[in-house]
């Protein structure tokens, strides 16, 4: 498991190779057909939801539904929020788990990891490149829902100033800003899951195992969060602050709550990022 | 950095996540430990002085977050997070409430659900409730004649010429009297100073002398600077670890909230219901009401102090409860179809009978009643950590902060 030497003269080409590696990783992640299908699937959620709500808006079921679904027919902006709300428990963790669980284990399974290690880039940096790829995919996944959501929402129901959960109506510009903040917050809420996926990905050469473990982590956290008996550990669970994006739809968002949510993600990133680094830089790579 | 890491042994590399985990753990666990580790070093006061300070304190504008936790030992309610923010949730578990007040007559209180909110906005004689779950507004207002009377009374109060003004004791007197009253049945002491929502606070402890009541003690934390009560804990005798009821600020600021927060106008598209509330004939009467005022017909009081049991007769609780869901369904405007029985129940929660003044007045649906009470030989008993309610089959209701058995014994007499 000898690591690639970096003698001082090779420092300059190393930087170039790191950039090249990032570029090729992004091309790999965003160009892979499976990942594109996943993004397409996520993008279909707001489209389908919008269509269904559009077709049923003159029936007695108009304005009903869990979470924000009931508000969509009144304002297309809520299609973004409703779609994110519906994707958060399962679909979003699933797609992100697939992408991040595949990051290292996929290369190992395909037998390309050892060739990747011959690139004059340290293993730590290679892992960072893989993390950039997985994070980019996570961002793309959330953006796919948001962009299709706002376009479909505007087309089906029109956009207007949003009525907050507190009953106050704010202007369209303010509303769009708030929805954008919701999207960014949901995106940042996925970083912990990406770190978990990356760690599982370094543990195994079977990508499906890493993907499944990642998705299971998110789901188990979600289930444990529901149990009142575990209230003491709930604030440490990965999913605990995921729904706090609703803060942006309150009269005065509580930045303390949002900060807690981001700090929690940072904590999971720190721990699982460090675990992934330790594992990846000490592992024997044979395939 | 890259160079130095390269030389790390595998064991050292595995130490990195361990260090990260410890650092994260410290970052999350340590701040509360540091915060609660000191005595605030406030000047010492007597319980009487503290009570006087509270009574004389000007109501100050404030905004903050309140966490309310009830561990009343009631059965688990059938609707939890599913229903969104709903006042029924206050019966058990933990709720987060945001509060804004200008210290005078405008305020907003919002009960937060995960992705929902139940707001109560008050502006002088008007009040609104807004439930984001079903996008419904209830507007409570006085009728025009009462509004005029309200304004008149307000003007009088501001000018200090309200008739009862002279009868009211000074704040110091009121504080002393309150402590004296409490001392008749309880011991009033000051506990060690504490910190609530990051502010130094005194703790006033009222401990009942009676040992048959369910109430163990009541602890009020009072902000040292503004004399605003910041936290109230009610401890039951059955649990010495955690308070049965706790309501307190986790975050508070004494700045005047923005005008936009205190204003309310019904959002477009929301269903709005108007409720006209009658103004009581003599609003000042409440302030001077004494415990020994005449009791309404059919109400008797047994026992004294903390063991007081109030008994009301001639009430057919079961019929009232059973009649409610159908009454709600017959209300005007309820012509929607519901996806499930749960949704219908939930809807009826928010549809109080016409004219019932408070948003909490609509709690008595039969399902809730069945869940909360248990069958006993005398009728149905609701027993919680702090309060027992016995509804007998012959139409009496007994309420007291005493064990259920005491109520049953009294009812059987």
């Amino acid at each position: 498991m000898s690591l690639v030497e970096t003698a001082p003269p090779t420092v300059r080409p190393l930087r170039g190779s790191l950039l090249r590696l990032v570029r090729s990783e992004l091309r790999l992640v965003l160009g892979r057909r499976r990942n594109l299908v996943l993004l397409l699937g996520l993008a279909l959620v707001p489209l389908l939801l919008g269509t269904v709500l559009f077709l049923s808006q003159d029936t007695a079921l108009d304005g009903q539904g869990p979470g924000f679904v009931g508000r969509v027919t009144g304002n297309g902006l809520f299609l973004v929020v409703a779609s994110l709300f519906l994707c958060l428990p399962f679909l979003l963790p699933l797609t992100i788990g697939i992408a991040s669980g595949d990051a290292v284990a996929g290369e190992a399974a395909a037998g390309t990891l050892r060739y990747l290690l011959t690139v004059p880039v340290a293993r730590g940096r290679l892992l960072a490149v893989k993390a950039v790829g997985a994070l980019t995919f996570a961002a793309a996944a959330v953006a796919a829902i948001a962009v299709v959501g706002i376009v479909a929402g505007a087309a089906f129901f029109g956009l207007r100033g949003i009525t907050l959960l507190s009953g106050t109506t704010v202007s369209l510009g303010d509303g769009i800003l708030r929805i954008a903040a919701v999207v960014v917050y949901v995106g940042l809420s996925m970083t912990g899951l990406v770190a978990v996926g990356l760690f599982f990905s370094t543990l195994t050469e079977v990508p499906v195992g890493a993907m499944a473990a990642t998705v299971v982590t998110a789901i188990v956290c979600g289930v444990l969060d529901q149990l009142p008996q575990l209230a003491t550990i709930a604030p440490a669970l990965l999913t605990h602050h995921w729904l706090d994006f609703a803060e942006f739809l309150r009269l005065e968002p509580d930045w303390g709550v949002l900060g807690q949510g981001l700090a929690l993600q940072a904590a999971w990133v720190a721990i699982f990022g460090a675990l992934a680094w330790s594992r990846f830089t000490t592992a024997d790579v044979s395939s | 950095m890259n160079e130095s890491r390269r030389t790390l042994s595998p064991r050292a590399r595995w130490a990195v996540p361990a260090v990260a985990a410890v650092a994260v753990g410290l970052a999350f666990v340590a701040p509360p430990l540091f915060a609660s580790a000191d005595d605030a070093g406030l000047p010492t006061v007597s319980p009487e002085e503290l009570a006087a300070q509270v009574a004389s304190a000007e109501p100050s504008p404030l905004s903050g977050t309140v966490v309310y936790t009830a561990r009343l030992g009631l059965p688990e309610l059938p609707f939890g997070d599913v229903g969104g923010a709903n006042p029924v949730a206050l019966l058990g578990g933990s709720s987060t409430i945001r509060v804004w007040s200008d210290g005078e007559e405008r305020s907003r209180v919002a009960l937060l659900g995960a992705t929902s909110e139940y707001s109560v906005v008050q502006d002088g004689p008007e009040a609104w409730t807004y439930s984001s779950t079903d996008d419904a507004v209830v507007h409570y207002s006085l009728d025009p004649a009462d509004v005029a009377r309200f304004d008149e009374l307000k003007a009088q109060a501001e000018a200090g010429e309200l008739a009862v003004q002279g009868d009211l004791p000074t704040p110091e007197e009121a504080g002393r009297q309150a402590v004296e009253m409490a001392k008749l049945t309880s011991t009033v002491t000051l506990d060690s100073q504490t910190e609530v929502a990051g502010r130094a606070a005194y703790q006033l402890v009222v401990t009942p002398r009676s040992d048959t009541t369910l109430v163990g003690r009541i602890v009020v934390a009072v902000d040292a600077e503004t004399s605003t009560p910041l936290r109230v804990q009610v401890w039951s005798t059955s649990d010495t670890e955690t308070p049965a009821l706790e309501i307190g600020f986790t975050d508070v600021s004494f700045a005047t909230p923005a005008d936009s927060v205190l204003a309310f106008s019904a959002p477009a598209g929301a269903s709005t219901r108007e409720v006209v509330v009658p103004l009581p004939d003599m609003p000042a009467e409440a302030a001077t009401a004494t415990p020994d005022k005449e009791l309404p017909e059919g109400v008797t009081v047994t026992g004294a102090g903390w063991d007081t049991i109030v008994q009301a007769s001639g009430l057919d609780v079961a019929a009232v409860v059973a009649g409610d869901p159908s009454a709600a369904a017959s209300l005007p405007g309820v012509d929607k179809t519901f996806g499930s029985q749960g949704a219908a129940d939930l809807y009826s929660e928010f549809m109080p009978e016409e004219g019932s003044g408070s948003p909490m007045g609509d709690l008595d649906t039969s399902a809730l009643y069945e869940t909360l009470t248990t069958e006993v030989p005398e009728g149905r008993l609701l027993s919680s950590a702090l309060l027992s309610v016995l509804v007998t089959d012959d139409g009496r209701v007994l309420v007291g902060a005493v064990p259920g058995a005491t109520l049953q014994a009294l009812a059987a007499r």
Side-chain angles (χ1 to χ4, degrees):
Chain A
M1 59 157 288
S2 78
L3 295 161
V4 182
E5 291 296 326
T6 44
T10 60
V11 163
R12 196 158 284 281
L14 186 143
R15 183 162 297 164
S17 47
L18 184 68
L19 266 179
R20 274 206 301 280
L21 202 58
V22 170
R23 218 175 299 143
S24 84
E25 174 69 17
L26 289 184
R27 210 176 302 134
L28 188 73
V29 166
L30 296 177
R32 181 171 286 172
R33 192 165 302 161
R34 182 190 62 201
N35 286 358
L36 288 178
V37 170
L38 287 175
L39 289 180
L40 191 71
L42 283 177
L44 277 179
V45 170
L47 207 58
L48 284 176
L49 184 65
T51 312
V52 168
L53 291 174
F54 183 71
L55 293 178
S56 66
Q57 67 177 340
D58 292 324
T59 68
L61 292 169
D62 182 33
Q64 303 213 16
F68 301 92
V69 176
R71 293 174 171 246
V72 173
T73 47
N75 189 344
L77 275 178
F78 274 109
L79 188 56
V80 178
V81 187
S83 308
L84 285 174
F85 178 75
L86 292 182
C87 289
L88 257 183
F90 188 70
L91 218 46
L92 214 44
L94 180 73
T95 46
I96 287 168
I98 288 176
S100 56
D102 188 55
V104 178
E107 302 273 7
T112 47
L113 187 56
R114 58 184 152 166
Y115 300 113
L116 209 52
L117 291 175
T118 61
V119 179
V121 165
R123 283 198 189 187
R125 293 200 172 188
L126 182 58
L127 186 69
V129 170
K130 285 292 177 189
V132 167
L135 286 171
T136 308
F137 180 79
V142 177
I145 301 175
V147 170
V148 176
I150 201 158
V151 171
F156 281 130
F157 312 108
L159 306 181
R160 51 191 69 84
I162 57 175
T163 300
L164 301 177
L165 294 175
S166 319
T168 310
T169 305
V170 298
S171 69
L172 179 59
D174 194 358
I176 289 178
L177 266 182
R178 282 171 184 265
I179 301 291
V182 166
V183 174
V184 170
Y185 181 83
V186 170
L188 289 175
S189 297
M190 294 296 135
T191 51
L193 189 64
V194 169
V196 171
L198 214 54
F199 170 60
F200 285 136
S201 191
T202 59
L203 285 183
T204 173
E205 292 180 5
V206 186
V208 175
M211 296 172 190
T214 312
V215 178
V216 164
T217 304
I219 291 171
V220 166
C221 279
V223 171
L224 295 185
D225 204 14
Q226 302 291 318
L227 299 179
Q229 289 83 355
L230 293 176
T232 41
I233 65 153
L237 293 173
L238 182 63
T239 55
H240 185 65
H241 286 286
W242 276 9
L243 287 183
D244 284 351
F245 71 81
E247 277 307 313
F248 287 110
L249 301 174
R250 302 196 197 280
L251 196 52
E252 284 187 341
D254 186 337
W255 301 107
V257 171
L258 295 166
Q260 277 172 23
L262 296 182
L264 179 71
Q265 294 301 319
W268 279 73
V269 167
I271 292 174
F272 281 90
L275 279 172
W277 176 80
S278 303
R279 167 70 190 174
F280 191 58
T281 53
T282 57
D284 284 329
V285 174
S286 54
S287 55
Chain B
M1 198 167 83
N2 202 31
E3 282 298 311
S4 66
R5 274 188 187 170
R6 195 158 293 272
T7 60
L8 288 175
S9 70
R11 191 175 296 172
R13 284 167 190 272
W14 278 107
V16 172
V19 170
V22 170
V24 164
L26 281 180
F28 277 80
V29 176
L33 288 184
F34 282 120
S36 58
D38 63 328
D39 206 350
L42 299 168
T44 48
V45 294
S46 70
E48 286 82 1
E49 284 168 352
L50 186 60
Q53 282 172 13
V54 173
S56 67
E58 291 276 312
S60 53
L62 62 84
S63 55
T65 307
V66 172
V67 172
Y68 168 94
T69 310
R71 302 179 193 86
L72 294 174
L74 292 173
E76 197 71 22
L77 292 172
F79 31 81
D81 295 337
V82 191
N86 181 327
V88 185
L90 294 176
L91 284 177
S94 199
S95 310
T96 305
I97 303 165
R98 296 249 170 88
V99 182
W100 297 264
S101 166
D102 71 347
E104 284 160 23
E105 53 174 32
R106 302 178 75 197
S107 66
R108 175 189 280 266
V109 177
L111 174 64
L112 308 189
T115 55
S116 55
E117 205 169 305
Y118 182 86
S119 308
V120 181
V121 185
Q122 204 214 333
D123 185 355
E126 283 183 293
W128 295 265
T129 66
Y130 176 72
S131 159
S132 76
T133 319
D134 43 18
D135 200 19
V137 176
V138 182
H139 179 203
Y140 298 94
S141 56
L142 302 170
D143 69 44
D146 279 345
V147 170
R149 207 149 57 83
F150 179 89
D151 288 339
E152 196 179 315
L153 285 169
K154 201 178 87 178
Q156 280 178 5
E158 272 167 5
E161 53 192 40
L162 210 57
V164 288
Q165 189 75 8
D167 301 342
L168 282 176
T170 60
E172 287 73 17
E173 184 79 350
R176 197 185 54 76
Q177 278 186 1
V179 173
E180 287 300 315
M181 283 286 287
K183 275 185 172 169
L184 290 177
T185 54
S186 334
T187 49
V188 181
T189 52
L190 279 181
D191 200 359
S192 62
Q193 289 153 12
T194 185
E195 203 167 272
V196 178
R199 299 180 65 90
Y202 295 105
Q203 287 197 102
L204 191 68
V205 185
V206 179
T207 314
R209 269 200 222 100
S210 153
D211 54 3
T212 49
T213 173
L214 290 170
V215 180
R217 64 180 192 280
I218 298 175
V219 183
V220 184
V222 177
D223 183 36
E225 197 182 310
T226 61
S227 297
T228 308
L230 293 180
R231 187 178 65 198
V232 178
Q233 295 173 322
V234 185
W235 297 70
S236 79
T237 45
S238 52
D239 186 354
T240 52
E241 297 288 308
T242 46
L245 265 186
E246 179 171 14
I247 181 162
F249 284 102
T250 56
D251 173 42
V252 66
S253 109
F254 290 96
T256 309
D259 193 59
S260 60
V261 175
L262 297 170
F264 187 87
S265 58
S271 67
T272 307
R273 204 159 55 82
E274 294 285 338
V275 175
V276 175
V277 185
L279 189 67
D281 280 340
M282 231 2 246
E285 211 169 273
T288 54
T290 45
D292 57 3
K293 70 171 177 164
E294 247 177 72
L295 290 167
E297 193 82 12
V299 176
T300 52
V301 173
T302 326
W306 293 95
D307 298 312
T308 305
I309 297 168
V310 179
Q311 193 176 154
S313 55
L315 291 174
D316 195 353
V317 175
V320 172
V321 165
D324 204 54
S326 55
S330 65
L331 282 173
V334 189
D335 50 1
K336 298 189 179 182
T337 54
F338 295 107
S340 67
Q341 183 55 37
D345 285 348
L346 202 70
Y347 195 76
S348 64
E349 283 305 314
F350 281 99
M351 277 308 213
E353 284 174 274
E354 284 295 325
S356 81
S358 90
M360 297 292 287
D362 52 353
L363 289 185
D364 42 0
T365 62
S366 357
L368 194 60
Y369 179 67
E370 293 286 322
T371 316
L372 291 177
T373 57
T374 49
E375 191 89 51
V376 290
E378 288 80 8
R380 294 197 74 88
L381 177 70
L382 179 150
S383 52
S384 72
L386 291 176
L387 192 77
S388 300
V389 181
L390 177 66
V391 181
T392 61
D393 293 329
D394 56 1
R396 287 176 298 156
V397 180
L398 291 85
V399 184
V402 292
T406 315
L407 294 184
Q408 283 171 264
L410 185 69
R413 263 214 307 250

